[in-house]
């Protein structure tokens, strides 16, 4: 476009070139602001999801508590994250993910699910098994609570949930153990070793502190699916304690309850001579 045409256009709009540039810059900033606002809203939605989940078990959870936990200097900045008025950096989001032990790709980008189930192998050696119970896979220190979970309707997989300080949690699918009475071979041998490990924990006074942490649950299908959905905290569904972990190794007691379909058959098989 030559200078003459530009000059005529300027005259027709009755504005100078500086005013036109100012208008164009304002439009550009408005478009950019709208794009960034969408990002801030998405991140704020995920942050508020986490806050709402954990506030169910910690009524004092606030922006100031979160700021202190993640070593953020200004509470106001954290508060603005939750209000979608300020976008946290990736390094700040990484600290939030560590605080709540949520999936980092979900928090960064909205991918996957908030919480993941980790597949793991339970050690058959008693010493290693006790160490496994007491350790954190994410370096959170020793767990405060340990939950052993089976399904009522179609028992098969064993899940173990560990709860840590600040109600952080890890959920494990134990790949080498099954609670189905039809199992055989190595998986059944692993179950026998697992039952013996539970007996050791229950009977050995030196393991009393570990025993106090362990509880067991049997979930109906809908609660089991909620537990594994990746959208919920385990404490939302783990409400009714069933002491199967103390009965499975006890030959004099296991037959008094029917915790899930095939429970008696499973215990008979474990204890057969």
């Amino acid at each position: 476009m030559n200078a003459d045409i530009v000059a005529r256009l300027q005259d027709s709009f009755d504005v100078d070139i500086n005013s036109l540039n100012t208008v164009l810059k304002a439009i550009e900033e408005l478009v950019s602001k709208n794009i960034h606002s969408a990002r801030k809203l998405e991140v704020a939605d995920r942050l508020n999801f986490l806050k709402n989940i954990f506030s169910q078990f910690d009524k004092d959870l606030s922006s100031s508590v979160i700021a202190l936990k993640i070593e953020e200097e200004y509470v106001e900045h954290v508060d603005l994250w939750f209000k979608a008025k300020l976008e946290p950096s990736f390094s700040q989001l990484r600290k939030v993910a560590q605080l709540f032990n949520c999936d980092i790709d979900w928090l960064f980008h909205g991918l996957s699910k908030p919480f993941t189930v980790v597949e793991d192998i339970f050690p058959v050696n008693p010493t290693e098994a006790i160490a496994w119970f007491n350790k954190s896979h994410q370096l959170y220190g020793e767990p405060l609570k340990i939950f052993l979970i089976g399904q009522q309707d179609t028992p098969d997989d064993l899940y173990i949930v560990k709860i840590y300080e600040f109600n952080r949690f890890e959920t494990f699918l134990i790949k080498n153990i099954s609670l189905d009475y039809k199992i055989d071979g190595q998986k059944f041998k692993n179950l026998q070793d697992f039952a013996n490990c539970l007996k050791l924990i229950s009977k050995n006074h030196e393991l009393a502190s570990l025993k106090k942490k362990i509880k067991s649950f049997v979930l109906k299908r809908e609660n089991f699916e909620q537990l594994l959905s990746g959208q919920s905290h385990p404490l939302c569904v783990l409400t009714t304690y069933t002491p199967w972990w103390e009965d499975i190794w006890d030959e004099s007691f296991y037959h008094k309850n029917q915790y899930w379909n095939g429970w008696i058959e499973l215990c008979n098989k474990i204890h057969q001579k």
Side-chain angles (χ1 to χ4, degrees):
M1 187 179 294
N2 60 40
D4 183 55
I5 295 175
V6 171
R8 292 188 183 202
L9 281 173
Q10 284 184 241
D11 291 340
S12 67
F13 285 111
D14 194 28
V15 294
D16 60 30
I17 192 67
N18 289 330
S19 297
L20 184 59
N21 286 337
T22 300
V23 171
L24 291 174
K25 185 176 181 180
I27 293 172
E28 182 181 359
E29 289 176 351
L30 181 62
V31 172
S32 176
K33 183 178 179 181
N34 286 335
I35 292 172
H36 289 303
S37 294
R39 165 68 180 172
K40 284 185 282 191
L41 282 169
E42 291 170 0
V43 172
D45 282 345
R46 294 193 284 274
L47 290 172
N48 281 299
F49 171 86
L50 292 172
K51 187 176 180 181
N52 292 337
I53 286 284
F54 284 84
S55 291
Q56 298 175 76
F57 315 107
D58 184 357
K59 301 302 181 184
D60 296 325
L61 185 61
S62 63
S63 296
S64 60
V65 170
I66 293 171
L68 184 63
K69 292 283 186 182
I70 64 174
E71 300 180 342
E72 192 66 28
E73 289 295 329
Y74 298 101
V75 175
E76 183 181 5
H77 290 177
V78 175
D79 200 43
L80 292 175
W81 300 348
F82 287 92
K83 295 177 180 178
K85 294 183 178 180
L86 181 67
E87 181 184 352
S89 67
F90 282 124
S91 61
Q92 289 167 326
L93 287 175
R94 184 173 285 105
K95 291 181 181 180
V96 173
Q98 292 170 347
L99 176 64
F100 294 108
N101 194 30
C102 68
D103 185 87
I104 201 162
D105 286 331
W106 171 80
L107 188 56
F108 278 8
H109 315 295
L111 304 175
S112 188
K113 298 176 181 179
F115 309 110
T116 57
V117 176
V118 178
E119 295 185 358
D120 205 358
I121 301 297
F122 189 85
V124 295
N125 176 277
T127 302
E128 294 176 1
I130 290 167
W132 187 95
F133 273 129
N134 277 319
K135 78 174 182 177
S136 165
H137 296 243
Q138 297 293 336
L139 304 179
Y140 291 139
E142 288 191 6
L144 304 178
K145 300 175 184 177
I146 302 168
F147 301 143
L148 314 181
I149 305 161
Q151 186 177 344
Q152 185 178 63
D153 304 316
T154 54
D156 185 5
D157 294 325
L158 170 66
Y159 287 84
I160 298 179
V161 172
K162 296 182 181 182
I163 306 291
Y164 301 90
E165 184 184 11
F166 200 62
N167 289 308
R168 287 177 289 205
F169 66 92
E170 295 175 306
T171 303
F172 300 95
L173 166 60
I174 305 303
K175 292 295 292 180
N176 61 326
I177 295 175
S178 172
L179 300 177
D180 186 352
Y181 75 94
K182 299 176 184 176
I183 60 168
D184 216 333
Q186 188 59 50
K187 264 198 171 183
F188 176 68
K189 177 63 170 61
N190 293 342
L191 177 61
Q192 286 182 311
D193 291 336
F194 179 67
N196 287 330
C197 177
L198 298 181
K199 182 178 181 179
L200 176 64
I201 293 170
S202 187
K203 293 285 190 179
N204 191 328
H205 295 302
E206 294 181 0
L207 299 174
S209 60
L210 176 57
K211 179 182 178 181
K212 290 178 181 179
K213 298 177 183 181
I214 299 177
K215 288 188 175 181
S216 53
F217 298 82
V218 180
L219 298 182
K220 294 181 179 179
R221 180 185 298 275
E222 58 270 23
N223 292 332
F224 202 77
E225 290 175 352
Q226 183 180 347
L227 174 72
L228 303 182
S229 67
Q231 302 284 343
S232 179
H233 195 291
L235 293 177
C236 293
V237 295
L238 299 177
T239 56
T240 305
Y241 166 62
T242 53
W244 65 261
W245 86 271
E246 297 176 280
D247 292 354
I248 195 169
W249 52 264
D250 192 338
E251 293 184 70
S252 64
F253 209 84
Y254 71 77
H255 61 280
K256 295 182 180 180
N257 294 289
Q258 180 75 351
Y259 292 117
W260 58 72
N261 295 330
W263 162 261
I264 299 294
E265 294 86 344
L266 180 68
C267 292
N268 285 339
K269 192 172 180 181
I270 289 173
H271 296 288
Q272 67 185 1
K273 305 301 182 182

